[in-house]
Amino acid sequence: MTATAVRVDTAPAAAVKRRRRSLGSLAVVPLLAFTALSFGLPALAMLDGAFTVKDPATGATSYSAGNLTASLQGAYLTALLGSVKLSAVSAALGALLGLPLAQAVVTSRFRALREAVLTASGVLANFGGVPLAFAFVATLGNAGVLTRHLGLTDKGWDLYSFWGLVLVYLYFLIPLMVLTITPALDGLRSQWREAAQNNGATTVQYWRHVALPVLLPTLLGGFVLLFGSAFAAYATAAAMVGSSVPLVTLQIADALSGNVLVGQENVALALSLDMVLVAGLVMAVYLPLQRRSARWLA
């Protein structure tokens, strides 16, 4: 009698759980539909255009890899490599400068300072585009306030160059790195430092043999995240340097505005596909690193 009663009572409970799972699955349908409309259709249109080649003489279209081949030659290849170089340098400097700043915030005794820095980092990490370019032009441009007062022009300073653009990118990449690495620094257990000190390890040895190996996946993941953010930036570079620094985003804008040879109208879509492939490689590196750091810092 008791076993029969248990089976009878368990069956409705199992049915309720299955019903809740089915309802939970249905709740994801609007999100999947929105993702398909917002990302799926544009991605399909980009793929179709990237492989569609137009004959300049007859106007006939056909499918081939001509646009992709053109996007990896000449000025287009130079722009792609320029974007990769700019993103890598900016991300490396942002990671190196953001780590000690985040460590100073984490170890600070003043909770108000920590909250203020993290709040400011959240704001500055999303501050970009034309307003950021204007702020730097007004401050460090050829006629900027600091440029005139410090005589930077006579010292060879040029904001409208590769390194000037790196400086501008660091304005939002360093705060982004602070937001990325702070949870990992919070996850470092105080017992690890105490154990290292009890075994006679110095602060440098603790960071070299304990903290940095644990933080390495997060640091690399942060670098990849910063790389992707810098790689996709457009408005800041377009407003500040124009075509003086070759970047793939600027080449795409020129192609979309019609500044291309006849028959190469879809090269912009091929360049966009190149960017998507680079971003896919970046995410393929970032996700395993994120999972690995989560295991250590859980």
Side-chain angles (χ1 to χ4, degrees):
M1 294 294 293
T2 304
T4 303
V6 171
R7 284 195 297 269
V8 171
D9 293 338
T10 306
V16 170
K17 290 182 179 179
R18 287 194 297 270
R19 193 178 302 113
R20 289 178 178 175
R21 291 196 192 99
S22 61
L23 292 176
S25 301
L26 291 176
V28 184
V29 172
L31 176 61
L32 296 177
F34 175 79
T35 303
L37 291 174
S38 302
F39 298 98
L41 292 180
L44 292 176
M46 180 184 63
L47 284 173
D48 179 72
F51 289 97
T52 301
V53 179
K54 183 178 181 180
D55 190 341
T58 63
T61 59
S62 60
Y63 286 101
S64 73
N67 292 325
L68 289 176
T69 303
S71 69
L72 298 176
Q73 296 177 350
Y76 298 128
L77 178 60
T78 301
L80 181 61
L81 295 178
S83 291
V84 172
K85 179 182 177 182
L86 175 65
S87 303
V89 172
S90 302
L93 292 176
L96 291 176
L97 297 175
L99 176 60
L101 178 59
Q103 174 63 13
V105 172
V106 169
T107 57
S108 175
R109 299 179 180 179
F110 302 99
R111 183 175 180 83
L113 175 63
R114 172 191 173 99
E115 294 178 353
V117 171
L118 293 180
T119 301
S121 297
V123 175
L124 297 178
N126 294 281
F127 182 75
V130 177
L132 179 61
F134 174 77
F136 270 88
V137 169
T139 306
L140 292 171
N142 291 338
V145 177
L146 290 181
T147 303
R148 287 186 286 105
H149 283 287
L150 300 178
L152 297 179
T153 304
D154 299 333
K155 299 176 182 178
W157 167 250
D158 183 16
L159 179 65
Y160 314 108
S161 62
F162 175 85
W163 289 106
L165 199 57
V166 169
L167 177 64
V168 176
Y169 278 23
L170 289 178
Y171 188 86
F172 59 86
L173 291 181
I174 292 177
L176 181 59
M177 186 62 186
V178 171
L179 295 176
T180 303
I181 200 66
T182 296
L185 291 173
D186 284 332
L188 292 177
R189 296 179 176 85
S190 58
Q191 295 88 340
W192 297 345
R193 180 184 290 271
E194 294 171 358
Q197 291 175 346
N198 292 336
N199 286 279
T202 62
T203 302
V204 175
Q205 290 173 331
Y206 163 74
W207 277 96
R208 179 182 176 184
H209 298 287
V210 180
L212 285 180
V214 173
L215 292 174
L216 184 59
T218 305
L219 287 173
L220 294 177
F223 169 81
V224 170
L225 185 63
L226 267 59
F227 178 91
S229 180
F231 188 71
Y234 161 72
T236 302
M240 197 177 76
V241 300
S243 59
S244 60
V245 178
L247 297 176
V248 66
T249 51
L250 303 182
Q251 287 287 348
I252 292 174
D254 288 341
L256 290 177
S257 62
N259 189 17
V260 292
L261 298 176
V262 178
Q264 294 187 357
E265 295 83 357
N266 289 338
V267 173
L269 296 174
L271 290 171
S272 302
L273 182 59
D274 294 338
M275 291 191 66
V276 170
L277 294 177
V278 173
L281 292 175
V282 167
M283 292 305 299
V285 174
Y286 175 70
L287 293 177
L289 291 173
Q290 188 182 40
R291 288 195 294 268
R292 183 175 178 182
S293 61
R295 289 199 304 267
W296 276 101
L297 301 172

